[in-house]
Amino acid sequence: MLNAEFNILMGAMYLGILIDQHHEVGGLRLDKALLRYARGYFFKPAAGNVEQVLDQVKGKSTEAYSYVIKILGKNGLLETQALV
């Protein structure tokens, strides 16, 4: 795994798979896709809106919670998804 280009390609493909799996009725749930990216493929986020999912994760893994907030932003895309 010393080839940086290969690592970036595999990470992008993995993230693409997770994004494809998290299309819900209200739209794309990037919060759930990023949580699974951070916690592992077999992690199952809770059902509910963005706040409920992040509250559930915050109690178990502050690292994953901080990662999602850092990527999606506290006042950015997460606010938009919370309105759906």
Side-chain angles (χ1 to χ4, degrees):
M1 294 309 219
L2 298 175
N3 186 343
E5 292 147 353
F6 179 75
N7 288 340
I8 292 170
L9 175 65
M10 298 309 328
M13 289 174 67
Y14 176 53
L15 188 56
I17 290 168
L18 294 176
I19 288 172
D20 288 343
Q21 292 176 354
H22 286 287
H23 282 282
E24 295 180 3
V25 176
L28 175 62
R29 291 292 304 268
L30 282 175
D31 58 324
K32 289 185 176 184
L34 279 176
L35 281 172
R36 286 186 63 202
Y37 186 81
R39 298 281 317 257
Y41 183 79
F42 294 105
F43 174 74
K44 299 294 181 202
N49 63 19
V50 175
E51 289 85 12
Q52 293 168 340
V53 171
L54 289 178
D55 285 343
Q56 181 247 353
V57 170
K58 190 175 186 180
K60 295 180 180 178
S61 173
T62 56
E63 187 176 302
Y65 172 81
S66 298
Y67 180 74
V68 171
I69 295 298
K70 182 179 179 181
I71 300 296
L72 295 179
K74 187 73 172 172
N75 297 317
L77 194 56
L78 283 179
E79 264 187 16
T80 310
Q81 285 190 344
L83 298 175
V84 173

